[in-house]
């Protein structure tokens, strides 16, 4: 077991937290989550959390939040406002060690050393703790935990206990489940099997568990006094260590008539037959494969490598290519904030990572939107429009789950209009479908699901834009990405993407008709979409009002934005609270203060909507008006700045994005890592600094590396190929190798080349 408890030798793969400080605990727990797209286990300590102590702490803001999240396990609790939330599964990791009858607890005795290590390469959390008990005896406890990337249902915990004393001592180890019952009703509780049901939504959860302890390589018989509760007792000798292992298998069933217990028991049986070492080996092999396709290394900037690895670690742990019924919440499976709800964050900020490194996961995320089409159609109909209007916040059914009010930091109620007005998500989803198709060439997906999403979102926008007396169509009363301004008209971001969506709807109809006639007939018949309707869409697209001033080259973020008060944001530099809190919502609404990348996001997503000069003008105009009141914002700014060649600003935004989760205030990270910011960080490196574009008829690379980045290396998938890219700053050379797949067209810094199988193309940039 010793080997499993040892971290990877290369410290570039590790995130290390020395010591223990309860004030920082909640953010460390988010950061050190282990997850696999089905299960997410926060990095709360498993050992030495006494029940009284925990319940006392839980009343405080900085309490420890042990959580195991199960993707898709939503229920609507009886709280105000009543919206679905992820229900945490029972805490399966709790362990208590007693020495001569006294519990070994952090706050009793002396902590000689305590470190937590997130071993990102191995997808595991390790702890190493040496403690002197009040009686003066030193105990060394090492732990390992992981949730398997090879079989997502499995979790593994290892604990090694050694008493560092010549004299014999009475030692016991007690393993239990904690927090059973919060939000879940127990249907069945046996020694090593539990089945729970959510209170309202009728979902069920089965956990099968096995626990064992060895001394000197031999199994030690223990006691099993109650369900999920085991204990062992032994007499220590110098140099003798006890090895404890616990394995769980977790299965969620969405059908109220379903019984997931059989599957959980079978999965656990299989795992037990192979043994924990096999579970661990397969998990590590699965991570090795993911890293092979998604690792980024920045030679010359270790901090950047660490930040990108941290991002990639969490992104790889957030998705599950095998489950089309779930998507990625704003904090993935790492914390309670946003209740597991899915926003545009997934399509706009994190999906590009999966498209480029894990197309199967990208496909599953888009299939989630396909399965949510009925709810999106119902929302559009309810609001008087046609087609599909996606929920701004979505959980397991696709119905709108945005709370209609929240409390501000002072306790005042604020009405939330996003569920009604933040409609751009219906263009973001369409944009994501198209991007996936262009980059992967996955026609099967387009035929089975993507085309229907495109047609239904195009139909929504065509009905949403209303013809007015001036002969133009307008989209009024919306919220753009900048949520500081509500009930606005003709948001540039929204209208440009709406027009783009309508045109892609027409394109896909034309393509289906030309290439897949049968499918077109079937789909157009199902949707009742005929030529007259398509002609109508073309007219809407041509007459849709776009807030763009050709003279200045500026988009006006929405009608009337330029008339609002200009505020010099430099005077609020260093302010840690969001500006709508500092200045008040009304003042911010009357000003040009922008919450987050809005027009700037548009520049990144549809760079060809305006010329290069206008792109620069818009970036310069909006960057200085942006308060970055959302974690999504700076990554997008980094990406656009890098594409514009403003590498110094891009690097500053990049570092500030990296710091959000790695060094951010405990409060903001407590609710989980900001997965969209992590996706934005990856995009800034690959689409920004490396200048990769996956959406042309050739893989395009156009690097702008920061001065200190000697080399940047990574892999991307493109239309069924796996390609390795190495950019060498000193040699001013890009090397592109085709690792897997057929010959393909490349365009590096404007030079075209046909890359042959197993070939490498080197060129200057
Ligand atoms: C941002 C949204 C984002 C949401 C979830 C909000 O603060 O303004 O753009 O979708 O957080 O991350």
């Amino acid at each position: 077991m010793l080997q499993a408890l040892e971290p990877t030798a290369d410290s570039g793969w590790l995130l290390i937290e020395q010591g223990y400080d309860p004030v920082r605990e909640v953010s460390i727990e988010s950061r050190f989550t282990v997850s696999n797209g089905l299960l997410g286990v926060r990095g709360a300590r498993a050992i030495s959390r006494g029940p009284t102590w925990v319940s006392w702490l839980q009343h405080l803001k900085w309490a420890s939040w042990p959580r195991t999240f199960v993707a898709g396990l939503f229920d609507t609790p009886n709280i105000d406002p009543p919206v679905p939330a992820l229900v945490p599964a029972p805490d399966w990791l709790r362990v208590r060690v007693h020495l001569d009858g006294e519990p070994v607890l952090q706050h009793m005795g002396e902590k000689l050393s305590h470190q937590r290590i997130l071993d990102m390469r191995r997808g595991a959390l390790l702890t190493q703790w040496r403690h002197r008990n009040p009686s003066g005896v030193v105990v060394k406890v090492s732990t390992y935990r992981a949730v398997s990337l090879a079989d997502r249902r499995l979790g593994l915990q290892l604990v090694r206990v050694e008493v560092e004393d010549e004299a014999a001592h009475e030692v016991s180890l007690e393993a239990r489940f904690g927090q059973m019952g919060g939000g879940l009703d127990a249907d069945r509780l046996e020694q090593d099997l539990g089945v729970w049901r959510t209170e309202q939504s009728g979902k069920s959860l089965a956990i099968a568990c096995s626990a064992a302890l060895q001394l000197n390589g031999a199994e030690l018989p223990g006691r099993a006094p109650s369900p999920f509760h085991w204990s062992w007792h032994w007499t220590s000798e110098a140099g003798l260590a006890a090895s404890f292992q616990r394995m769980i298998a977790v299965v969620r069933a969405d059908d109220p008539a379903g019984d997931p217990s059989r599957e959980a028991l079978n999965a656990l049986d299989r795992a037990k037959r192979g043994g924990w070492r096999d579970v661990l080996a397969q998990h590590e092999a699965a991570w090795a494969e993911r890293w092979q396709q998604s690792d980024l290394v920045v030679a010359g900037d270790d901090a950047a490598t660490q930040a990108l690895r941290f991002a990639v670690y969490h992104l790889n742990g957030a998705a599950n290519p095998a489950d089309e019924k779930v998507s990625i919440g704003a904090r993935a499976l790492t914390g309670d904030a946003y209740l597991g709800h899915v926003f545009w964050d997934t399509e706009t900020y994190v999906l590009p990572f999966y498209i480029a490194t894990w197309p199967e996961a990208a496909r599953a995320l888009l299939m989630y939107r396909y399965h949510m089409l009925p709810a999106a159609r119902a929302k559009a109909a309810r609001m008087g429009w046609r087609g599909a209007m996606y929920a701004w916040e979505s959980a397991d059914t696709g119905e709108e789950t945005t709370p209609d009010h929240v409390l501000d930091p002072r306790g005042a109620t604020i009405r939330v209009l996003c569920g009604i007005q933040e409609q751009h998500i219906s263009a973001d989803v369409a944009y994501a479908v198209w991007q996936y198709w262009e980059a992967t060439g996955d026609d099967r997906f387009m035929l089975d699901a993507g085309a229907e999403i495109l047609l239904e979102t195009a139909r929504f926008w065509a009905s949403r834009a209303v013809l007015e007396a001036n002969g133009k169509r307008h989209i009024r009363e919306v919220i753009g990405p900048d949520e500081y301004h509500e009930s606005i008209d003709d948001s540039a971001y929204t209208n440009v993407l709406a027009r783009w969506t309508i045109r892609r709807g027409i394109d896909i109809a034309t393509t289906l008709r030309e290439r897949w006639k049968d499918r077109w007939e079937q789909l157009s018949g199902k949707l009742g979409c005929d030529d007259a309707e398509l002609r109508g869409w073309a007219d809407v697209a041509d007459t849709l009002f776009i807030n763009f001033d050709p003279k200045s080259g500026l988009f006006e973020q929405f009608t009337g934005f330029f008339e609002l008060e200009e505020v010099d944001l430099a005077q609020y530099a260093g302010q840690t609270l969001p500006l709508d809190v500092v200045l008040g919502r009304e003042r911010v609404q009357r000003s040009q203060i922008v919450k987050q990348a809005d027009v700037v996001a548009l520049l990144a997503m549809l760079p060809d909507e305006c010329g290069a000069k206008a792109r620069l003008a818009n970036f310069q105009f909006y960057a200085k008006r942006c308060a970055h009141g959302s974690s999504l914002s700076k990554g997008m700014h980094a990406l656009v700045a890098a594409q514009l060649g403003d590498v110094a600003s891009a690097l500053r935004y990049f570092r500030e994005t990296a710091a959000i989760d790695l060094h951010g205030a405990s409060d903001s990270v407590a609710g989980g890592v900001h997965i969209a910011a992590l996706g934005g960080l990856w995009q800034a490196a690959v689409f920004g600094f490396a200048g990769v574009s996956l959406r042309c008829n050739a893989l395009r690379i156009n690097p702008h590396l920061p001065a200190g980045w000697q080399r940047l290396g990574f892999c991307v998938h493109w239309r069924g190929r796996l390609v390795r890219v190495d950019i060498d700053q000193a040699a001013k050379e890009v090397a592109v190798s085709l690792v897997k797949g057929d010959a393909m067209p490349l365009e590096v810094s404007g030079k075209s080349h046909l890359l042959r199988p197993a070939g490498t193309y080197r060129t200057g940039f």
Side-chain angles (χ1 to χ4, degrees):
M1 179 181 283
L2 266 180
Q3 203 187 339
L5 298 166
E6 277 303 307
T8 294
D10 174 356
S11 63
W13 288 98
L14 309 177
L15 209 61
I16 302 176
E17 188 68 45
Q18 298 285 359
Y20 169 72
D21 173 358
V23 177
R24 293 204 329 270
E25 202 53 18
V26 278
S27 56
I28 297 167
E29 290 175 1
S30 298
R31 218 173 277 143
F32 283 25
T33 296
V34 290
S35 61
N36 63 16
L38 169 65
L39 305 175
V41 184
R42 280 169 63 83
R45 289 169 314 113
I47 303 195
S48 145
R49 282 196 341 255
T52 339
W53 193 53
V54 169
S55 55
W56 168 66
L57 274 183
Q58 272 173 347
H59 290 105
L60 300 179
K61 209 169 163 210
W62 36 265
S64 163
W65 291 341
R67 290 279 190 279
T68 291
F69 293 106
V70 180
L73 191 70
F74 281 103
D75 199 16
T76 305
N78 266 337
I79 51 164
D80 183 45
V83 288
L86 277 180
V87 187
D91 173 10
W92 54 281
L93 290 152
R94 293 185 74 167
V95 170
R96 170 66 62 88
V97 177
H98 281 83
L99 184 71
D100 299 323
E102 290 297 319
V104 180
L105 294 173
Q106 291 266 1
H107 61 288
M108 287 164 60
E110 187 191 351
K111 187 161 60 260
L112 301 175
S113 65
H114 185 274
Q115 62 174 356
R116 254 172 298 186
I117 305 169
L118 185 68
D119 190 332
M120 298 186 277
R121 187 180 69 83
R122 301 168 62 211
L125 174 59
L126 307 169
T127 63
Q128 296 168 350
W129 178 36
R130 278 184 79 234
H131 190 79
R132 181 176 289 122
N133 237 27
S135 55
V137 180
V138 175
V139 185
K140 188 174 161 199
V141 183
S142 312
T143 74
Y144 167 102
R145 88 171 58 150
V147 286
S148 172
L149 203 64
D151 179 343
R152 292 188 166 73
R153 299 165 299 186
L154 302 180
L156 174 65
Q157 178 189 37
L158 307 174
V159 179
R160 184 176 184 277
V161 181
E162 186 179 345
V163 179
E164 296 182 358
D165 200 36
E166 292 300 321
H169 295 276
E170 294 308 302
V171 192
S172 72
L173 184 147
E174 209 180 341
R176 305 170 174 261
F177 274 29
Q179 289 184 344
M180 290 209 265
L184 291 172
D185 292 333
D187 250 13
R188 207 168 139 187
L189 272 185
E190 294 165 18
Q191 182 53 45
D192 48 11
L193 175 73
V195 181
W196 295 266
R197 220 166 262 286
T198 54
E199 288 166 2
Q200 316 283 336
S201 60
K203 291 172 191 274
S204 46
L205 179 76
I207 305 184
C209 181
S210 76
L213 186 139
Q214 293 95 31
L215 260 189
N216 264 341
E219 199 85 8
L220 189 70
R223 290 190 328 114
S226 55
F228 295 122
H229 182 188
W230 300 263
S231 71
W232 293 266
H233 177 266
W234 69 97
T235 306
S236 73
E237 291 164 24
L240 179 73
S243 302
F244 165 77
Q245 313 92 43
R246 171 156 45 185
M247 280 202 284
I248 55 162
V250 182
V251 178
R252 176 197 92 222
D254 294 337
D255 177 359
D259 176 6
S261 59
R262 184 86 341 254
E263 190 188 330
L265 286 169
N266 288 344
L268 186 70
D269 266 2
R270 244 189 79 227
K272 272 162 62 183
R273 274 199 304 278
W276 68 264
R277 285 185 178 79
D278 253 28
V279 170
L280 190 144
Q282 284 166 20
H283 166 65
E284 292 190 353
W287 266 104
E289 196 196 323
R290 284 261 42 80
W291 281 117
Q292 198 220 331
Q293 293 175 46
S294 57
D295 190 25
L296 283 107
V297 175
V298 185
D301 191 338
D302 291 348
T305 300
Q306 188 193 48
L308 284 164
R309 281 209 173 127
F310 178 74
V312 169
Y313 165 79
H314 278 293
L315 289 161
N316 277 327
N320 179 359
D323 192 349
E324 297 178 354
K325 294 292 172 60
V326 302
S327 183
I328 298 174
R331 301 300 181 92
L333 296 170
T334 70
D336 292 295
Y338 292 111
L339 314 173
H341 293 181
V342 181
F343 297 70
W344 74 315
D345 305 33
T346 310
E347 281 73 22
T348 309
Y349 285 81
V350 305
L351 190 86
F353 165 81
Y354 300 110
I355 291 177
T357 67
W358 198 3
E360 300 82 2
R363 187 183 207 278
L365 291 170
L366 292 171
M367 287 306 291
Y368 164 83
R369 292 295 190 186
Y370 176 71
H371 295 302
M372 301 304 140
L373 266 176
R377 286 191 184 104
K379 181 175 176 191
R382 212 172 37 250
M383 295 188 63
W385 295 302
R386 301 190 63 213
M389 182 191 191
Y390 281 99
W392 173 244
E393 295 186 25
S394 179
D396 51 344
T397 63
E399 276 154 39
E400 185 55 72
T401 58
T402 307
D404 58 12
H405 64 273
V406 290
L407 298 181
D408 78 1
R410 296 181 186 91
T413 302
I414 304 177
R415 200 169 160 223
V416 178
L417 295 173
C418 301
I420 302 167
Q421 295 190 352
E422 198 152 358
Q423 299 171 3
H424 63 81
I425 186 155
S426 294
D428 303 323
V429 172
Y431 176 85
V433 165
W434 194 267
Q435 224 195 355
Y436 170 80
W437 187 46
E438 281 195 316
T440 62
D442 184 351
D443 294 338
R444 191 69 266 152
F445 163 78
M446 186 51 100
L447 290 171
D448 291 349
E452 194 167 335
I453 297 178
L454 289 171
L455 292 168
E456 286 288 63
T457 47
R459 177 179 263 173
F460 162 69
W461 287 114
S463 74
R464 179 68 183 82
V466 177
L467 186 62
E468 298 190 6
N470 62 358
K472 289 280 177 196
R473 286 172 204 264
H474 296 269
I475 300 180
R476 299 196 182 273
E477 291 257 332
V478 295
I479 299 175
D482 163 21
E483 295 173 342
Y484 286 167
H485 296 94
E486 299 173 330
S487 305
I488 55 159
D489 296 334
D490 292 320
S491 140
Y493 177 95
T494 307
N495 288 22
V496 173
L497 269 139
R499 181 174 69 181
W500 183 93
T501 301
I502 296 171
R503 292 192 167 143
R504 295 301 79 74
I506 299 170
D507 286 351
I508 201 63
T510 312
T511 307
L512 288 183
R513 194 182 262 140
E514 285 170 10
R515 290 179 57 193
W516 294 285
K517 201 161 178 304
D518 289 353
R519 177 63 181 139
W520 170 246
E521 272 164 18
Q522 198 188 24
L523 191 56
S524 59
K526 173 179 164 189
L527 302 179
C529 181
D530 57 16
D531 284 353
E533 183 171 1
L534 294 175
R535 278 195 302 275
W537 291 1
D539 182 53
V540 176
D542 291 345
T543 53
L544 184 54
F545 177 72
I546 302 291
N547 256 318
F548 182 73
D549 171 18
K551 261 213 332 262
S552 63
L554 290 183
F555 285 105
E556 184 171 18
Q557 192 180 288
F558 53 85
T559 302
F561 181 84
F562 290 155
E563 273 78 62
L564 299 176
E565 181 202 356
E566 239 187 282
V567 176
D568 177 12
L569 291 183
Q571 52 184 312
Y572 300 102
Q575 179 58 252
T576 51
L577 284 173
L579 277 195
D580 59 334
V581 176
V582 177
L583 300 177
R585 278 163 50 85
E586 288 71 25
R587 165 90 197 282
V588 167
Q589 276 165 356
R590 288 195 309 272
S591 79
Q592 289 185 1
I593 300 174
V594 175
K595 179 178 180 187
Q596 64 195 85
D598 182 302
V599 171
V600 169
L602 179 60
L603 303 176
M605 292 164 71
L606 295 176
D608 300 333
E609 287 289 327
C610 61
K613 229 171 104 197
R615 262 204 315 279
L616 182 62
N618 278 285
F619 182 74
Q620 287 173 342
F621 182 87
Y622 284 103
K624 56 172 184 273
R625 287 165 171 76
C626 187
H628 303 291
S630 157
S631 63
L632 277 57
S633 189
K634 287 183 176 164
M636 204 51 110
H637 280 74
L639 159 56
V640 177
Q643 287 178 340
L644 291 169
D646 181 357
V647 179
S649 304
L651 187 62
R652 181 170 47 80
Y653 287 124
F654 177 92
R655 293 210 194 287
E656 288 172 5
T657 306
I660 293 172
D661 284 326
L662 279 175
H663 311 293
S666 209
D667 279 14
S668 95
V669 191
V673 301
H674 301 75
I675 201 74
L678 298 175
L681 193 78
W682 180 91
Q683 288 196 56
V686 175
F687 297 161
F689 294 129
V692 168
S693 171
L694 305 170
R695 49 188 182 205
C696 333
N697 280 326
L699 174 68
R700 215 183 257 172
I701 303 166
N702 195 8
H704 294 282
L705 292 198
W709 290 24
Q710 290 153 12
R711 280 191 314 279
L712 172 63
F714 56 90
C715 285
V716 288
H717 286 257
W718 187 78
R719 301 197 185 168
R721 285 86 164 180
L722 182 64
V723 181
R724 163 108 213 139
V725 180
D726 286 287
I727 305 169
D728 186 329
Q729 169 106 289
K732 282 266 164 231
E733 184 188 80
V734 180
V736 191
S737 312
L738 187 50
V739 181
K740 210 175 77 194
D742 300 338
M744 59 174 280
L746 262 188
E747 197 190 297
V748 183
S749 298
K751 285 164 281 187
S752 300
H753 178 80
L754 185 72
L755 188 60
R756 304 209 178 270
T760 297
Y761 173 60
R762 291 175 197 283
T763 185
F765 69 90

